Amino acid sequence: MSDCLEIPGVKHFYRGKVRDVYFFESGKVAMIATDRISAFDVILPRSIPYKGAVLNGIATHFLEASKHLVPNWYISSPLPFVSIGYAAEPIKIEMVVRGYLAGHAWRVYQAGSRELCGIKLPEGLKENDKLPEPIITPTTKEAVGVHDQDISAEEILKRNIVTEKEWDTLVDYSFKLFEHGSQLAANRGLILVDTKYEFGKDKEGNLVLIDEIHTPDSSRYFYRHEYNERQSKGLAQQQLSKEFVRQWLIENGFHGRPGDKIPVMTDEKVLEISERYMLLYEMITGKKFNRFAYPSQSEIVQKILSSL
């Protein structure tokens, strides 16, 4: 699945960190969620079996569930790791919504800053504390291999990345999606800690949700039943997210900095990560993950063409 497919009618091909996207003359796109895995904006050397299908399955689950709230790009999923949808011109920012002080936000706070993306943070917070209210901490959307950068709403408007009206719509859509995702997570005994949303403009110029949504690559989840007890005792929260991969990399000396060496990922580690992803799928969606035999490239092409 890592090679570029020869598909009739393709006018443009884009390879992201973990997705391959085919743009067709018809105005539709085929997004292939590959088994590549990235962390700290770096693509790791080894792929993770079934990871693409897990991410695609979770994303389509939530895209279907939220389309009544926010318009999105998705049409259908002809294969476990493939989605078909409408093309949109991406907006070069990611809308990161945070309900808790975790991950990057905590690292900034722990370093002494009380401001993130122009938003003031209160004193006296501990790691993983719930924020007074959800906040949006946008980042730039950079090319593969380049770190995304924090950016404030003021700077986004100053650079004319979007208009003020479009920004207001992005904020409204992001908070609606986060509230809905939090409700669905609560139904599964989970807490949606933080997540990111990406948006684009369709051919009529309307803002639509694109890419994935509420997957363990783009979101962080805690277990609801044990959150308060762990927080009161100062214990680390158990997470359902890709954070366990980041932590393993950090423990082995890799932070994504220039000169850092990516640790060797053994067959056992690859299998462990694969199993963890499949468990995440079942925990988040409430559905059983069905393993499958990977189809040939010609079979993938035929499935895509029959769905356009």
PDB file of all heavy atoms in Angstrom, residues 7 24 28 76 78-79 84 299-308:
ATOM      1  N   ILE A   7      -4.158   4.711 -11.246  1.00  0.00           N
ATOM      2  CA  ILE A   7      -5.611   4.738 -11.305  1.00  0.00           C
ATOM      3  C   ILE A   7      -6.054   5.688 -12.411  1.00  0.00           C
ATOM      4  O   ILE A   7      -5.662   6.861 -12.409  1.00  0.00           O
ATOM      5  CB  ILE A   7      -6.231   5.199  -9.967  1.00  0.00           C
ATOM      6  CG1 ILE A   7      -5.626   4.426  -8.794  1.00  0.00           C
ATOM      7  CG2 ILE A   7      -7.742   5.028  -9.994  1.00  0.00           C
ATOM      8  CD1 ILE A   7      -6.147   4.876  -7.428  1.00  0.00           C
ATOM      9  N   PHE A  24      -9.322  13.132  -8.379  1.00  0.00           N
ATOM     10  CA  PHE A  24      -9.827  12.734  -9.684  1.00  0.00           C
ATOM     11  C   PHE A  24     -10.425  13.914 -10.448  1.00  0.00           C
ATOM     12  O   PHE A  24     -10.861  14.899  -9.851  1.00  0.00           O
ATOM     13  CB  PHE A  24     -10.871  11.624  -9.528  1.00  0.00           C
ATOM     14  CG  PHE A  24     -10.304  10.341  -9.002  1.00  0.00           C
ATOM     15  CD1 PHE A  24     -10.211  10.112  -7.636  1.00  0.00           C
ATOM     16  CD2 PHE A  24      -9.838   9.361  -9.864  1.00  0.00           C
ATOM     17  CE1 PHE A  24      -9.676   8.942  -7.135  1.00  0.00           C
ATOM     18  CE2 PHE A  24      -9.294   8.182  -9.385  1.00  0.00           C
ATOM     19  CZ  PHE A  24      -9.217   7.974  -8.015  1.00  0.00           C
ATOM     20  N   LYS A  28     -13.804  14.160  -7.110  1.00  0.00           N
ATOM     21  CA  LYS A  28     -13.781  13.292  -5.944  1.00  0.00           C
ATOM     22  C   LYS A  28     -12.342  12.931  -5.577  1.00  0.00           C
ATOM     23  O   LYS A  28     -11.420  13.130  -6.374  1.00  0.00           O
ATOM     24  CB  LYS A  28     -14.600  12.025  -6.193  1.00  0.00           C
ATOM     25  CG  LYS A  28     -16.102  12.290  -6.314  1.00  0.00           C
ATOM     26  CD  LYS A  28     -16.875  10.998  -6.515  1.00  0.00           C
ATOM     27  CE  LYS A  28     -18.372  11.277  -6.630  1.00  0.00           C
ATOM     28  NZ  LYS A  28     -19.143  10.023  -6.860  1.00  0.00           N
ATOM     29  N   SER A  76     -18.085   7.344   1.074  1.00  0.00           N
ATOM     30  CA  SER A  76     -18.171   5.899   1.323  1.00  0.00           C
ATOM     31  C   SER A  76     -16.788   5.323   1.585  1.00  0.00           C
ATOM     32  O   SER A  76     -15.767   5.975   1.363  1.00  0.00           O
ATOM     33  CB  SER A  76     -18.796   5.187   0.117  1.00  0.00           C
ATOM     34  OG  SER A  76     -17.947   5.297  -1.017  1.00  0.00           O
ATOM     35  N   PRO A  78     -14.993   1.868   0.439  1.00  0.00           N
ATOM     36  CA  PRO A  78     -15.065   0.597  -0.291  1.00  0.00           C
ATOM     37  C   PRO A  78     -14.133  -0.488   0.226  1.00  0.00           C
ATOM     38  O   PRO A  78     -14.329  -1.665  -0.072  1.00  0.00           O
ATOM     39  CB  PRO A  78     -14.685   0.999  -1.717  1.00  0.00           C
ATOM     40  CG  PRO A  78     -13.807   2.197  -1.541  1.00  0.00           C
ATOM     41  CD  PRO A  78     -14.370   2.928  -0.351  1.00  0.00           C
ATOM     42  N   LEU A  79     -13.102  -0.100   0.972  1.00  0.00           N
ATOM     43  CA  LEU A  79     -12.169  -1.041   1.586  1.00  0.00           C
ATOM     44  C   LEU A  79     -11.892  -0.562   3.004  1.00  0.00           C
ATOM     45  O   LEU A  79     -12.060   0.627   3.307  1.00  0.00           O
ATOM     46  CB  LEU A  79     -10.862  -1.110   0.795  1.00  0.00           C
ATOM     47  CG  LEU A  79     -10.900  -1.839  -0.557  1.00  0.00           C
ATOM     48  CD1 LEU A  79      -9.662  -1.509  -1.373  1.00  0.00           C
ATOM     49  CD2 LEU A  79     -11.043  -3.340  -0.351  1.00  0.00           C
ATOM     50  N   ILE A  84     -13.749   7.302   0.116  1.00  0.00           N
ATOM     51  CA  ILE A  84     -14.034   8.123  -1.056  1.00  0.00           C
ATOM     52  C   ILE A  84     -14.806   9.360  -0.582  1.00  0.00           C
ATOM     53  O   ILE A  84     -15.687   9.262   0.273  1.00  0.00           O
ATOM     54  CB  ILE A  84     -14.890   7.360  -2.091  1.00  0.00           C
ATOM     55  CG1 ILE A  84     -14.223   6.027  -2.460  1.00  0.00           C
ATOM     56  CG2 ILE A  84     -15.146   8.224  -3.323  1.00  0.00           C
ATOM     57  CD1 ILE A  84     -12.906   6.159  -3.163  1.00  0.00           C
ATOM     58  N   GLU A 299      -6.712  -5.044  -7.201  1.00  0.00           N
ATOM     59  CA  GLU A 299      -8.006  -5.133  -6.515  1.00  0.00           C
ATOM     60  C   GLU A 299      -8.370  -3.812  -5.845  1.00  0.00           C
ATOM     61  O   GLU A 299      -9.536  -3.402  -5.851  1.00  0.00           O
ATOM     62  CB  GLU A 299      -7.970  -6.264  -5.482  1.00  0.00           C
ATOM     63  CG  GLU A 299      -7.929  -7.646  -6.089  1.00  0.00           C
ATOM     64  CD  GLU A 299      -7.688  -8.735  -5.048  1.00  0.00           C
ATOM     65  OE1 GLU A 299      -6.865  -8.532  -4.125  1.00  0.00           O
ATOM     66  OE2 GLU A 299      -8.327  -9.798  -5.160  1.00  0.00           O
ATOM     67  N   ILE A 300      -7.375  -3.144  -5.280  1.00  0.00           N
ATOM     68  CA  ILE A 300      -7.626  -1.836  -4.659  1.00  0.00           C
ATOM     69  C   ILE A 300      -8.096  -0.841  -5.708  1.00  0.00           C
ATOM     70  O   ILE A 300      -9.082  -0.109  -5.504  1.00  0.00           O
ATOM     71  CB  ILE A 300      -6.345  -1.318  -3.968  1.00  0.00           C
ATOM     72  CG1 ILE A 300      -5.947  -2.234  -2.817  1.00  0.00           C
ATOM     73  CG2 ILE A 300      -6.571   0.103  -3.447  1.00  0.00           C
ATOM     74  CD1 ILE A 300      -4.593  -1.899  -2.198  1.00  0.00           C
ATOM     75  N   VAL A 301      -7.417  -0.837  -6.848  1.00  0.00           N
ATOM     76  CA  VAL A 301      -7.784   0.082  -7.927  1.00  0.00           C
ATOM     77  C   VAL A 301      -9.216  -0.164  -8.382  1.00  0.00           C
ATOM     78  O   VAL A 301     -10.004   0.781  -8.554  1.00  0.00           O
ATOM     79  CB  VAL A 301      -6.798  -0.053  -9.114  1.00  0.00           C
ATOM     80  CG1 VAL A 301      -7.323   0.699 -10.345  1.00  0.00           C
ATOM     81  CG2 VAL A 301      -5.418   0.449  -8.716  1.00  0.00           C
ATOM     82  N   GLN A 302      -9.574  -1.426  -8.567  1.00  0.00           N
ATOM     83  CA  GLN A 302     -10.917  -1.751  -9.030  1.00  0.00           C
ATOM     84  C   GLN A 302     -11.993  -1.322  -8.019  1.00  0.00           C
ATOM     85  O   GLN A 302     -13.048  -0.806  -8.381  1.00  0.00           O
ATOM     86  CB  GLN A 302     -11.035  -3.248  -9.322  1.00  0.00           C
ATOM     87  CG  GLN A 302     -10.318  -3.680 -10.585  1.00  0.00           C
ATOM     88  CD  GLN A 302     -10.769  -2.903 -11.807  1.00  0.00           C
ATOM     89  OE1 GLN A 302     -11.968  -2.749 -12.064  1.00  0.00           O
ATOM     90  NE2 GLN A 302      -9.800  -2.409 -12.570  1.00  0.00           N
ATOM     91  N   LYS A 303     -11.719  -1.543  -6.753  1.00  0.00           N
ATOM     92  CA  LYS A 303     -12.655  -1.143  -5.702  1.00  0.00           C
ATOM     93  C   LYS A 303     -12.848   0.375  -5.697  1.00  0.00           C
ATOM     94  O   LYS A 303     -13.974   0.884  -5.518  1.00  0.00           O
ATOM     95  CB  LYS A 303     -12.159  -1.617  -4.339  1.00  0.00           C
ATOM     96  CG  LYS A 303     -12.402  -3.066  -4.036  1.00  0.00           C
ATOM     97  CD  LYS A 303     -13.872  -3.327  -3.730  1.00  0.00           C
ATOM     98  CE  LYS A 303     -14.081  -4.747  -3.203  1.00  0.00           C
ATOM     99  NZ  LYS A 303     -15.510  -4.991  -2.877  1.00  0.00           N
ATOM    100  N   ILE A 304     -11.757   1.101  -5.858  1.00  0.00           N
ATOM    101  CA  ILE A 304     -11.834   2.569  -5.868  1.00  0.00           C
ATOM    102  C   ILE A 304     -12.644   3.048  -7.081  1.00  0.00           C
ATOM    103  O   ILE A 304     -13.552   3.867  -6.947  1.00  0.00           O
ATOM    104  CB  ILE A 304     -10.422   3.181  -5.869  1.00  0.00           C
ATOM    105  CG1 ILE A 304      -9.749   2.954  -4.517  1.00  0.00           C
ATOM    106  CG2 ILE A 304     -10.480   4.670  -6.199  1.00  0.00           C
ATOM    107  CD1 ILE A 304      -8.300   3.391  -4.444  1.00  0.00           C
ATOM    108  N   LEU A 305     -12.323   2.514  -8.250  1.00  0.00           N
ATOM    109  CA  LEU A 305     -13.001   2.948  -9.468  1.00  0.00           C
ATOM    110  C   LEU A 305     -14.499   2.659  -9.429  1.00  0.00           C
ATOM    111  O   LEU A 305     -15.321   3.459  -9.891  1.00  0.00           O
ATOM    112  CB  LEU A 305     -12.381   2.259 -10.697  1.00  0.00           C
ATOM    113  CG  LEU A 305     -10.980   2.732 -11.090  1.00  0.00           C
ATOM    114  CD1 LEU A 305     -10.440   1.881 -12.234  1.00  0.00           C
ATOM    115  CD2 LEU A 305     -10.995   4.204 -11.475  1.00  0.00           C
ATOM    116  N   SER A 306     -14.866   1.525  -8.833  1.00  0.00           N
ATOM    117  CA  SER A 306     -16.291   1.171  -8.764  1.00  0.00           C
ATOM    118  C   SER A 306     -17.057   2.024  -7.759  1.00  0.00           C
ATOM    119  O   SER A 306     -18.294   2.016  -7.748  1.00  0.00           O
ATOM    120  CB  SER A 306     -16.451  -0.306  -8.392  1.00  0.00           C
ATOM    121  OG  SER A 306     -15.958  -0.565  -7.094  1.00  0.00           O
ATOM    122  N   SER A 307     -16.330   2.780  -6.927  1.00  0.00           N
ATOM    123  CA  SER A 307     -16.986   3.604  -5.914  1.00  0.00           C
ATOM    124  C   SER A 307     -17.035   5.085  -6.287  1.00  0.00           C
ATOM    125  O   SER A 307     -17.627   5.882  -5.563  1.00  0.00           O
ATOM    126  CB  SER A 307     -16.244   3.466  -4.572  1.00  0.00           C
ATOM    127  OG  SER A 307     -16.250   2.128  -4.121  1.00  0.00           O
ATOM    128  N   LEU A 308     -16.397   5.442  -7.389  1.00  0.00           N
ATOM    129  CA  LEU A 308     -16.370   6.863  -7.787  1.00  0.00           C
ATOM    130  C   LEU A 308     -17.672   7.285  -8.455  1.00  0.00           C
ATOM    131  O   LEU A 308     -18.367   6.488  -9.064  1.00  0.00           O
ATOM    132  CB  LEU A 308     -15.187   7.106  -8.738  1.00  0.00           C
ATOM    133  CG  LEU A 308     -13.793   6.923  -8.121  1.00  0.00           C
ATOM    134  CD1 LEU A 308     -12.740   7.077  -9.220  1.00  0.00           C
ATOM    135  CD2 LEU A 308     -13.563   7.938  -7.021  1.00  0.00           C
TER     136      LEU A 308
END
